[in-house]
Amino acid sequence: MSGLILEGKTGKWEVICGVEIHCQIISKSKIFSGASTHYGSDPNQNVAFIDAGMPGMLPSLNEECVHQAVKTGLGLNAKINKYSEFSRKNYFYADLPQGYQITQFRYPIVGEGTVTISLPDGSTKDIGIERMHIEQDAGKSIHDMAPDKSFIDLNRAGVGLMEIVTKPDFRAPEEVGAFLRKLRSILRYLETCDGNMDEGSMRCDVNVSVRKLGEEGFRTRCEMKNVNSVKFVMQAIENEARRHVEVYESGGEIVQETRKFDALSGQTKPMRKKEFAHDYRYFPEPDLLPLVLDDEYINRIKSEMVELPDAKMARYVKDLGLTPYDASVICENKEVAAFYEKAAKGHDAKKVANWLMGDFFAMLNEKKLELKDSPISAENLGRLVELVTTNVINGKTAKDVFALMAETGDNPEKIVEEKGLKQVTDTGAIEAVIDEVIAANPDNVAAYRAGKTALMGWFVGQVMKASKGKANPGMVNQLLSKKLV
Ligand code: MN
């Protein structure tokens, strides 16, 4: 897919974008304390002394968070750095009681990697990962509990985060959308982050700039922090890019700053001047040793890796004959892929994919059901497809059987048996119906024989109707052509 090109008064503009994503690590306890990471506890219930910034408390690195970060790095096809170290990032804010965040700065645990995204036109694009480091989350300020007060909840303070930084490789909002969905999918396969943007366990900052088509180098970028849905991220990029074009074309300059995206207006507003690294007075964290990993540790994690979406997609295309796009849709969600594999087992895999992505998803949507609550089991979906493939029922009847399966949860054979829906493949029986239709419509028969062959479809329709939809359409066609000559 080509990128988003904005038509300005002075010519064509290209959109340049990179993202930084904070992902909460799935772990039972926080990254430097033993407090629970449970989401939804009452405020300030999961707070160890160090999370509250009590003097004299020392951090102790949670090995599970390191394990999760290495696993994630491997999932991003990235280099795992055997040496990394922690730094203090100093800033003052009410939800950061220590007065600094323990993070990684010069030496992150994960280096460069690649994530491949699939686009709706069937093409793919590689997005470069610049780095990934681990750090602690801050607490949460609550401003809407009282009109004249703010409250602080420290349950989140000290929860482990992985911050993933991409290269400025995006050229369209859709590419960023596809990347966020792909990243979320990888994290969920790995079970290292639950990827829920609306609960804040995956938070996206976007950097946007524009340049004249064909121009080299990058212009000044603006950053939008914590945009909390894929849809809003895409909207924010497009609107911010248009703003840049307008500013440049009216003779202005873009200043590097952090802006806030307002979901109601769809516009971005200035929040604060962009900070630079030196504003944070980074220095090595004196209370933690450098983190040193060996090959054995990394290889052990490698050996625990599950099949990731890309490998699964490639297998579906190669072994099951799916199109790359269909495979990417099914593989995005681990549970959907597992359901599909169960349904397709021993049946026509391509037909099962069509049913799954068509009628089946539409049924779940309409009933507002999650996959796990589906009235149609994977096995029954596969058996329905089998009934069509083996000509027990025709395609049209299958739609009716599917509707009954969704209603009752029964298996398709039982429904076909009880409702007498078996396809009529008895030549004699079909011929009898055809003879009736021919006898009842002498005018159309004459017209057909005089050359109006388009009437064939009408005859097929009449015969199917007379057989209550149960005749085999292929046989009807064949026998009709013979009889109408
Ligand atoms: Mn960060």
Side-chain angles (χ1 to χ4, degrees):
M1 182 164 77
S2 59
L4 174 67
I5 303 296
L6 299 174
E7 298 275 354
K9 290 188 294 257
T10 61
K12 290 180 156 71
W13 296 83
E14 188 182 15
V15 181
I16 316 284
C17 205
V19 296
E20 297 173 14
I21 300 151
H22 285 90
C23 308
Q24 269 181 0
I25 300 171
I26 294 178
S27 63
K28 288 203 173 68
S29 55
K30 296 184 179 180
I31 186 165
F32 300 122
S33 82
S36 165
T37 58
H38 181 253
Y39 180 83
S41 299
D42 284 341
N44 297 309
Q45 293 310 294
N46 306 328
V47 187
F49 286 129
I50 191 167
D51 305 324
M54 293 295 170
M57 304 313 295
L58 293 173
S60 160
L61 180 61
N62 180 350
E63 195 268 329
E64 178 63 13
C65 293
V66 175
H67 186 108
Q68 294 285 62
V70 170
K71 206 165 149 192
T72 303
L74 294 171
L76 301 176
N77 305 303
K79 180 171 181 287
I80 306 301
N81 292 324
K82 284 190 234 169
Y83 178 93
S84 67
E85 56 180 44
F86 293 95
S87 290
R88 287 190 184 178
K89 180 183 183 180
N90 298 277
Y91 66 93
F92 179 76
Y93 203 75
D95 60 20
L96 187 77
Q98 289 169 306
Y100 57 83
Q101 177 191 34
I102 303 179
T103 178
Q104 295 188 306
F105 183 54
R106 277 189 309 173
Y107 300 102
I109 186 166
V110 174
E112 292 188 323
T114 317
V115 169
T116 305
I117 56 172
S118 309
L119 298 162
D121 68 356
S123 66
T124 59
K125 180 173 176 174
D126 284 348
I127 302 299
I129 300 295
E130 178 71 36
R131 59 182 273 159
M132 186 190 95
H133 63 257
I134 48 177
E135 60 187 21
Q136 55 179 182
D137 207 345
K140 226 181 197 165
S141 306
I142 302 161
H143 304 295
D144 55 4
M145 274 174 68
D148 55 349
K149 289 188 180 69
S150 285
F151 295 86
I152 304 291
D153 177 5
L154 292 179
N155 282 350
R156 204 179 66 180
V159 168
L161 292 177
M162 303 178 280
E163 180 176 337
I164 299 165
V165 182
T166 75
K167 294 180 187 292
D169 286 349
F170 301 102
R171 295 292 176 272
E174 290 70 26
E175 293 178 2
V176 178
F179 175 79
L180 290 175
R181 284 192 296 269
K182 184 62 176 282
L183 177 64
R184 185 166 58 194
S185 161
I186 293 171
L187 295 170
R188 286 178 176 169
Y189 268 75
L190 293 170
E191 296 178 6
T192 56
C193 168
D194 66 28
N196 293 332
M197 288 185 87
D198 50 349
E199 286 178 6
S201 44
M202 186 168 134
R203 308 194 286 268
C204 182
D205 303 341
V206 214
N207 285 297
V208 177
S209 67
V210 298
R211 68 180 172 196
K212 275 280 176 69
L213 200 58
E215 195 175 289
E216 295 281 325
F218 297 125
R219 296 196 182 199
T220 306
R221 62 176 196 257
C222 289
E223 185 179 30
M224 287 160 293
K225 285 223 176 274
N226 292 337
V227 192
N228 68 356
S229 80
V230 174
K231 195 179 118 204
F232 289 154
V233 168
M234 289 167 49
Q235 213 180 337
I237 295 167
E238 179 152 0
N239 291 339
E240 180 63 7
R242 288 190 192 282
R243 187 183 72 84
H244 285 214
V245 171
E246 273 168 36
V247 169
Y248 286 129
E249 293 200 327
S250 55
E253 272 305 315
I254 292 290
V255 275
Q256 185 165 339
E257 63 186 357
T258 301
R259 298 176 66 88
K260 198 178 162 53
F261 173 72
D262 177 41
L264 275 180
S265 68
Q267 299 302 310
T268 66
K269 291 177 196 151
M271 196 156 93
R272 58 173 188 254
K273 286 272 163 295
K274 170 75 187 171
E275 316 78 3
F276 295 88
H278 60 251
D279 293 326
Y280 290 116
R281 297 161 9 257
Y282 281 97
F283 63 84
E285 165 60 59
D287 292 337
L288 286 166
L289 289 168
L291 177 58
V292 180
L293 309 174
D294 58 21
D295 286 321
E296 197 210 320
Y297 183 81
I298 297 167
N299 287 335
R300 185 155 49 84
I301 298 175
K302 250 182 213 164
S303 71
E304 294 165 5
M305 298 287 281
V306 295
E307 185 185 35
L308 289 176
D310 282 350
K312 215 183 258 299
M313 266 165 61
R315 184 163 60 82
Y316 286 5
V317 171
K318 189 168 162 279
D319 298 349
L320 305 180
L322 301 197
T323 66
Y325 187 71
D326 287 358
S328 80
V329 171
I330 292 175
C331 293
E332 180 170 332
N333 181 306
K334 193 164 135 178
E335 285 74 34
V336 170
F339 186 95
Y340 169 68
E341 284 191 32
K342 223 186 218 179
K345 198 168 183 215
H347 308 300
D348 184 324
K350 233 175 124 70
K351 283 205 179 98
V352 173
N354 290 342
W355 275 92
L356 182 76
M357 293 170 62
D359 297 71
F360 184 82
F361 282 159
M363 179 275 296
L364 288 185
N365 243 334
E366 197 193 320
K367 292 182 182 285
K368 296 190 174 57
L369 287 176
E370 303 262 346
L371 177 67
K372 63 177 171 36
D373 303 317
S374 166
I376 300 180
S377 68
E379 289 83 355
N380 281 346
L381 183 66
R383 285 155 79 175
L384 175 67
V385 172
E386 194 62 28
L387 292 180
V388 184
T389 321
T390 52
N391 280 323
V392 176
I393 55 176
N394 63 41
K396 196 189 156 296
T397 306
K399 300 258 178 196
D400 301 335
V401 175
F402 180 87
L404 288 166
M405 288 164 74
E407 233 24 78
T408 60
D410 281 343
N411 71 54
E413 292 87 350
K414 180 170 175 239
I415 292 169
V416 168
E417 198 56 50
E418 279 179 9
K419 304 267 170 189
L421 294 172
K422 267 203 186 119
Q423 180 162 244
V424 178
T425 50
D426 170 0
T427 314
I430 295 175
E431 271 181 320
V433 179
I434 290 175
D435 290 342
E436 272 172 41
V437 170
I438 285 178
N441 299 282
D443 295 354
N444 279 344
V445 174
Y448 180 90
R449 286 179 178 152
K452 215 175 158 194
T453 50
L455 278 169
M456 185 55 152
W458 181 85
F459 278 110
V460 173
Q462 294 301 305
V463 175
M464 290 304 290
K465 206 165 129 191
S467 77
K468 299 196 177 66
K470 289 188 289 187
N472 176 304
M475 292 176 70
V476 171
N477 254 300
Q478 221 181 0
L479 293 170
L480 257 175
S481 335
K482 270 191 222 151
K483 294 211 173 230
L484 281 173
V485 176

